[in-house]
Amino acid sequence: MKSKTFINLLFLLPLFAFTACGQNKQPKESEKISSSNVISKPGNPYYSHTDTTKLKLSDAEWKKVLPEDVYLVMRQAETERAFTGKYWNTDEKGTYYCASCGNLLFRSTAKFSSSCGWPSFFEQQNKKSIVFKNDNSYNMERIEALCGRCGGHLGHLFDDGPEPTGKRYCMNSIALDFVPDNQ
């Protein structure tokens, strides 16, 4: 039985790495984070870098305020194609926020190069910024990482990261907004 599961895993693994479950398009000019709009996003009244109130919105409301590609990843738990996201191979200093609600998630000092094709971090900004749930989809046992404010799908947590935590937060770039330190 374990042999069959392993063979299924070998078959499915390339599908995760090389298929695009969600589109990976560039954000519209109005959705880009800059020094003039780090607190909110036009068209999304729930986006804030300062409000930490838990959000309980309907799926229909999220669909109205999020771009389709962000919605598919964050609300439908799809995954962007490996090695295509805008943050998988960057080392710029700054802060990463939830693309749905603006919740503070990571500092760039916790980012590392894991060569997995998605941005990886070894620790979250604070213990409430990300929450977790078991994910047994695709015949695999994983831990799903969700935004602690809006519950949006960010990626998964693995136990193969570097010290000091040994954790690898494997995130979808499209689920993150980045604000450089110099802004």
Side-chain angles (χ1 to χ4, degrees):
M1 183 70 170
K2 287 187 180 197
S3 169
K4 186 177 180 183
T5 302
F6 180 73
I7 290 169
N8 286 341
L9 180 60
L10 287 176
F11 174 73
L12 290 173
L13 206 50
L15 293 176
F16 289 114
F18 299 110
T19 60
C21 295
Q23 298 172 358
N24 187 23
K25 62 184 182 183
Q26 291 299 314
K28 297 174 190 165
E29 198 59 39
S30 64
E31 297 165 353
K32 290 184 179 177
I33 303 299
S34 69
S35 59
S36 63
N37 67 352
V38 294
I39 303 300
S40 65
K41 273 188 179 179
N44 184 347
Y46 312 107
Y47 191 93
S48 173
H49 287 184
T50 57
D51 187 355
T52 58
T53 306
K54 294 258 190 219
L55 295 172
K56 300 280 186 190
L57 302 176
S58 69
D59 191 57
E61 186 61 25
W62 281 118
K63 200 166 195 165
K64 282 188 224 173
V65 300
L66 295 177
E68 183 181 5
D69 51 355
V70 175
Y71 171 82
L72 289 172
V73 170
M74 299 209 67
R75 307 319 305 178
Q76 300 296 308
E78 292 197 10
T79 301
E80 69 188 357
R81 194 167 18 126
F83 304 102
T84 63
K86 56 190 168 192
Y87 304 126
W88 82 269
N89 195 26
T90 63
D91 59 3
E92 190 173 3
K93 301 299 179 212
T95 306
Y96 292 86
Y97 297 89
C98 172
S100 287
C101 71
N103 187 36
L104 175 61
L105 301 173
F106 303 102
R107 290 284 303 143
S108 60
T109 52
K111 190 171 186 291
F112 69 98
S113 177
S114 68
S115 302
C116 69
W118 292 276
S120 297
F121 303 85
F122 61 81
E123 71 182 344
Q124 61 197 60
Q125 179 58 28
N126 65 63
K127 65 182 179 181
K128 293 181 181 180
S129 62
I130 298 174
V131 296
F132 307 95
K133 76 175 192 178
N134 290 331
D135 176 4
N136 296 314
S137 61
Y138 301 105
N139 236 2
M140 298 183 342
E141 292 180 20
R142 300 180 292 173
I143 299 172
E144 183 179 14
L146 305 161
C147 174
R149 181 171 181 239
C150 73
H153 173 78
L154 300 168
H156 290 88
L157 178 67
F158 300 98
D159 289 324
D160 60 1
E163 293 300 325
T165 65
K167 301 292 183 191
R168 175 173 53 99
Y169 294 76
C170 185
M171 305 288 101
N172 288 288
S173 286
I174 202 162
L176 305 173
D177 283 332
F178 178 76
V179 177
D181 279 347
N182 59 3
Q183 288 196 4

